[in-house]
Each structure stands twice: as C-alpha cells, then as structure tokens.
Amino acid sequence: MDGKARPAPYGRAGGINSLGRSTQDFSRRNLLALSALGLLATGQRTANANNAQGQLTWAVHISLAPTWFDPAETPGMITPFLLMYALHDAMVKPMPGNANEPCLADGWKMAPDGLSYEFTVRAGAKFHNGEPVTAEDVKFSFERYRGTSAALMKERVATVETPDERRVRFVLKKPWPDFLTFYSSATGAGWIVPKKYVQQVGEEGYKKAPIGAGPYRFVSFTPGVELVLEAFDAYWRKVPAVKRLVFKVVPEEATRLAALKRGEVDFAYSIRGELAEELQKTPGLTLKAVVLQGTFWLYFPDQWDPKSPWHDQRVREAARLAIDHKSISEALTLGYSPITNSIIPDSFDFYWKPPAAKYDLAAAKKLLAEAGFRSGFDAGDYYCDSSYANLGEAVLNNLQEAGIRVKLRPLERAAFFAAYSEKKLKNIIQGSSGAFGNAATRLEAFAAKGGAYAYGNYPEIDTLFAEQAAEMDVAKRTAMLARIQQILHEKSVYAPIWQLALLNGQGKRMGESALGLIRGHAYSAPYEDVTIKPS
C-alpha cells in the first residue's frame, strides 16, 4: 500500500484511508506524468519567485502564544494549526480534497504486515534558512514531539529508521490502523522542524525565532499585539500570492468588526450574535460561516470523587437537560451551529449518532431533587476559554435556572488548555476541541485512561479502546468505537453543547480567504492559496 501526491476524495488517504481501505498503486505512466508536472511546477516557481506582493491582515480573537510556533507542543485542539499551516509543513496533512495529502513526503507505503510505514522526503523541500528537509529532520521531529498523544505514539512505535537522507521508516510494535491518522493530522508529530537549527538555538530560542518549511517565514512577534510573516519564495508547492501576512490580536468582538469596517483588517475571526447580523447588513463585507470539526461540551472532572455532587449520574444528567442548545445556537451563531449531542464531530470516521439532545428544565430540577438537591447546590467555578466566555454565560444562566449555581472563570486560551491538560481545573470545565482526526483520536485524548484531558476513566471504555486500537477489521472497530461513545452518552460523562459554526467577516480587499477549503478546519488554509482581490 502506498501514498502518492494525487487527488483523492476527502477522507481517503493515499495508500490506506482512515478506515484502513487500500487504494490502487500508480502505474509507471502515472509516475512519469507526476514527475513532468513536478518539473513544470519547479519552472513556474522560478519564474514567479518574486511575484508575491501586498499584505493581508487577520484580526484574531485570541492572544497568540509562542508555544503554538512549535509543532512539538501541539495540544489536542485546532488553534496551533492557525499558525502551523503558514510557518510549517508536515510529511502528510489535511489539504483541500484529501484528509491525508502527501506534502513534505512525496509518497509513503505501509508494509503488507502493517508493521511499518516508510515515507520518502520530497526532493527539493527546504526550510526557511535554505537547508534541505532530510529524513534525519523527520526522525528528530517525531522523537522531540511532546504534545497530545505523544506517549501513546512512542509506546506503539518501536523504532524510527533513516536508511538514507530521503527515506524514513516507522517500525511499529504491532499493527496499528490509526498510525497515519495520529501522525498526519491528530497530532503535531508529523510537522517537521530543522534538527540542526533547533539544537543550535535551543528550545526557548526556537520559539523566539522559529524556522519551518511552510509557505511563510517568521518576521516578528509582539506578544499581545501581532505576528508578522513573509512569503517563502522557495516553498515547494507554489509561491504564495501575498507577500506579507499579519495576525493582529483583537480580543474584543466589536473592535474586530469596527476594524474590518474601517479596512484596518481584511478578515476578522469570530463575529457572533447581533454583531454578525450587523456584519451581514454592511455593504462590502461578507459573513463567512464554517461548521468545524469543533465540538463544545461541559466536563465534570470531579465525577470520580464520591464526595462530589457530580459523582451522582442524575446530577450530570440534570446539567445536560438544563442546556437550551437551540436557543444558544440561534443567539450566538444565528443557528449555524448544529446540535449533534456528542463530543465527536459528525464528520469523523467512526462517529456514532446519539439520541437527539433535549432541553427539559422541569426534568432537570426533578433529577436534582431525586439526588438530594431540591433547592439546587453551589457548584463552584465554571472554567472556560475566555474567547468563548459569552457561550459560558449563556450555559451558566441555563444551569442556574435549574438550581446549579456556578461562577464563571474565563482564562486566556493557552492558559486554559494548559490548566485543563495539567488536571488543575475542578467543578465544571467548558471544553472543546477542533483537532483533526477520527473518533478514536478524539476519544484517546478526552475519554481513555491517561488521555491528555481525561481526569478519570471507566474500565469498560479502557478495555474497548485497547481492543479497537489493534483491530484491523473495520466493522469490528466501528462497533467498538460506537459502544465507547454510547457509554459516554449513557453515563453523561460529558454534557455536549454544540458543534461550532465559526462566523467570520471578510473585507473588500480579500479575494480567496482559504476559509473552508480544508473540510472541518477552523481557519484559513492553505495560506499559499490566499489572494488579494484585483483592484
């Protein structure tokens, strides 16, 4: 089984798709044709090397953190990919039309016994300092990776071999049907950094001046203000059309919209509610909505503590019934956010469709009374990412109507997810994830024992998760993963809120925003496809 750089329907990997199905090998004629196209692309890059021009500015809704400059620290959320698709490149990654597109790898193959994957590094791929991308950089990047699912991946990979400068082989301890999904999309392990440079400047030095192999190179970063990137003319795929990208930190939603109206920014992320309606009515501006692979939920980290009210399943069920999902979606995202009632996106492989979400305040109060809380109870802090504090306020109001009294504790995104993963939060967590992957990768991080964001575990889930991870039969895996999702639903481990539709504003100057080109992705990408509208 192999993977080549070729068009494929979404969800199909070159070689095997995320369900483990094989694809046909290329003929010699196909390979020669691709080689010819590669030569043509090289010639076009040389001719257009200095054609990138102009500047586009994004108003981002979060404070940018240097930790997101480094693929080694990728957490189980989509935010770092906002920057990684510009600064960095991966061996294989989600791209338009293909969830597993060969990129820095020009191909890959899985051994017939499923015990190894071999990648060939693309000839001519370079880092921003002009150094070639080599197999040693690929090995170094994997071994250095310490983000979400790092322990799981390194536990399952026996060795990483580099037979020569362009070939790298991952040898597994046993067949693992999800290796490519974890490596290519659900983690940052397959995003490549330059070994020599990292060793030269050190870990902290790398965050201050990152060098990658992506379409844009780092120029400057002013914390809390902006990140500036410039087109990398030697990018292998194509020279970016826009010379400079600027990401401005604008936490206030109304300020982002005002800046968009004045033409100070060309694109504004996350414009919700009445402001989104105002955006729709403003001549020259366009509302750009995209439904993400991003689900939001309430998590009850104390449910394994017998002394906590959340240990009682009736209390967790009451919280689920107290959420008026439909009204919240209509108020904040104009009804664009679907109510899927799951922490697994409905676009993911192995998604199990749960019963429809219910809003029943009377039933919620009845369950609380049965659990001994007829007058409700003080539930402590409600932690959330500050950029979704308005969602927290809406859900908090719902909970308090049922008698669950909480205090909103918004944290900056980087700090919130760090505290979440370090298991420092209690009471109620408004969690979310827009990370790539499938149901198994999402469950590994949020439901299985030892998961980055799992505060406790249920033995039945752990047993099923271990079994499915080694199961090569698609039907059997599907049944196991469906059962895990069913258990999460039955036990009310989570109280799902919605699958987010991110509403954004596009200004008059932007041509192609690249928003929505990669299915389920929250942000503009690939950035080399972004354009300025002809004047």
Side-chain angles (χ1 to χ4, degrees):
M1 297 181 183
D2 70 355
K4 308 292 184 188
R6 58 187 183 272
Y10 181 83
R12 297 294 180 93
I16 58 171
N17 67 11
S18 52
L19 293 179
R21 302 190 184 102
S22 65
T23 59
Q24 296 180 348
D25 292 339
F26 260 13
S27 67
R28 178 176 175 80
R29 180 181 300 174
N30 293 139
L31 290 172
L32 289 172
L34 275 183
S35 297
L37 286 172
L39 289 172
L40 288 172
T42 301
Q44 183 180 17
R45 180 170 62 215
T46 302
N48 294 340
N50 297 313
N51 282 357
Q53 57 188 337
Q55 174 179 303
L56 286 174
T57 302
W58 278 256
V60 298
H61 53 307
I62 52 174
S63 290
L64 301 177
T67 184
W68 300 334
F69 300 165
D70 187 350
E73 298 183 357
T74 307
M77 61 176 183
I78 201 63
T79 308
F81 292 89
L82 184 156
L83 307 179
M84 284 165 60
Y85 266 93
L87 280 168
H88 298 286
D89 206 350
M91 294 295 280
V92 179
K93 69 177 186 282
M95 288 288 279
N98 191 355
N100 291 297
E101 180 76 14
C103 291
L104 287 180
D106 63 11
W108 59 270
K109 60 184 178 181
M110 183 184 78
D113 60 6
L115 285 174
S116 68
Y117 287 74
E118 183 169 297
F119 299 82
T120 304
V121 177
R122 184 176 298 278
K126 296 180 180 180
F127 291 110
H128 299 154
N129 60 2
E131 294 292 322
V133 180
T134 69
E136 191 61 34
D137 296 309
V138 177
K139 178 181 180 181
F140 173 76
S141 298
F142 178 81
E143 292 176 344
R144 177 176 176 265
Y145 180 68
R146 50 186 177 269
T148 293
S149 303
L152 174 73
M153 295 193 73
K154 291 170 183 179
E155 175 186 308
R156 293 177 176 273
V157 174
T159 61
V160 182
E161 302 170 351
T162 53
D164 56 47
E165 285 192 352
R166 291 188 56 213
R167 287 188 299 146
V168 59
R169 184 183 303 120
F170 291 82
V171 180
L172 309 180
K173 293 179 180 177
K174 57 184 178 182
W176 183 23
D178 275 335
F179 168 76
L180 191 66
T181 303
F182 274 92
Y183 185 66
S184 67
S185 58
T187 74
W191 291 72
I192 311 307
V193 299
K195 177 181 178 180
K196 291 180 183 177
Y197 178 73
V198 173
Q199 291 179 334
Q200 174 188 342
V201 300
E203 296 293 332
E204 292 307 309
Y206 184 74
K207 291 189 186 71
K208 293 177 181 177
I211 283 179
Y216 283 85
R217 64 178 186 83
F218 178 87
V219 174
S220 66
F221 175 58
T222 305
V225 181
E226 67 179 21
L227 169 69
V228 180
L229 308 176
E230 193 168 89
F232 178 48
D233 290 341
Y235 185 56
W236 68 268
R237 183 170 177 251
K238 65 179 181 181
V239 176
V242 182
K243 183 67 173 176
R244 181 165 286 212
L245 305 184
V246 178
F247 298 90
K248 285 189 176 293
V249 176
V250 188
E252 293 296 325
E253 213 157 336
T255 307
R256 289 196 295 277
L257 179 56
L260 187 67
K261 285 182 173 183
R262 292 192 298 265
E264 295 171 0
V265 302
D266 301 292
F267 197 90
Y269 282 121
S270 192
I271 306 294
R272 297 166 288 192
E274 293 179 356
L275 293 176
E277 293 176 340
E278 182 181 339
L279 169 62
Q280 287 180 312
K281 298 173 184 176
T282 303
L285 302 186
T286 305
L287 179 72
K288 301 282 287 187
V290 58
V291 177
L292 316 182
Q293 57 207 11
T295 50
F296 280 66
W297 56 74
L298 298 187
Y299 186 45
F300 314 107
D302 303 323
Q303 63 187 277
W304 291 275
D305 179 0
K307 297 179 181 179
S308 170
W310 300 111
H311 186 68
D312 192 321
Q313 184 173 318
R314 293 170 296 185
V315 176
R316 303 196 300 272
E317 289 176 359
R320 291 185 66 162
L321 290 169
I323 301 172
D324 189 352
H325 313 80
K326 185 172 182 290
S327 294
I328 292 173
S329 175
E330 289 173 350
L332 297 182
T333 63
L334 310 186
Y336 279 97
S337 295
I339 310 305
T340 55
N341 204 26
S342 176
I343 70 168
I344 309 298
D346 60 6
S347 59
F348 271 16
D349 288 335
F350 308 112
Y351 165 76
W352 172 77
K353 185 176 181 179
K358 293 181 180 179
Y359 168 57
D360 192 331
L361 190 58
K365 291 180 177 179
K366 184 173 183 293
L367 282 170
L368 287 177
E370 291 173 357
F373 302 104
R374 187 171 299 277
S375 300
F377 68 100
D378 293 323
D381 295 324
Y382 180 116
Y383 292 97
C384 70
D385 168 0
S386 60
S387 60
Y388 287 97
N390 60 354
L391 173 61
E393 290 169 355
V395 176
L396 180 152
N397 289 335
N398 285 169
L399 295 177
Q400 296 196 153
E401 287 176 358
I404 302 171
R405 298 178 290 275
V406 289
K407 296 177 182 178
L408 193 66
R409 299 296 188 199
L411 302 172
E412 289 288 345
R413 180 165 299 185
F416 169 74
F417 277 96
Y420 192 175
S421 66
E422 291 165 9
K423 315 296 194 295
K424 292 181 177 179
L425 306 181
K426 294 178 66 66
N427 305 313
I428 300 178
I429 303 170
Q430 180 181 287
S432 65
S433 176
F436 294 108
N438 61 24
T441 64
R442 186 66 61 88
L443 291 169
E444 189 278 330
F446 292 95
K449 185 177 182 179
Y453 302 95
Y455 281 57
N457 61 291
Y458 290 98
E460 186 179 357
I461 289 177
D462 296 333
T463 299
L464 286 166
F465 190 83
E467 290 175 357
Q468 67 79 35
E471 180 57 67
M472 301 300 286
D473 185 284
V474 175
K476 290 180 180 178
R477 278 198 80 204
T478 300
M480 292 175 188
L481 289 166
R483 179 56 188 152
I484 292 174
Q485 293 169 74
Q486 188 177 7
I487 294 169
L488 291 178
H489 173 78
E490 291 171 349
K491 291 183 175 294
S492 293
V493 177
Y494 290 92
I497 301 172
W498 62 16
Q499 186 165 318
L500 176 66
L502 192 62
L503 305 187
N504 313 285
Q506 181 170 318
K508 300 175 183 179
R509 294 181 60 252
M510 183 168 279
E512 173 58 70
S513 68
L515 185 76
L517 294 187
I518 299 173
R519 188 184 180 193
H521 184 46
Y523 309 114
S524 296
Y527 286 102
E528 62 271 23
D529 289 346
V530 170
T531 63
I532 297 174
K533 191 177 293 183
S535 56

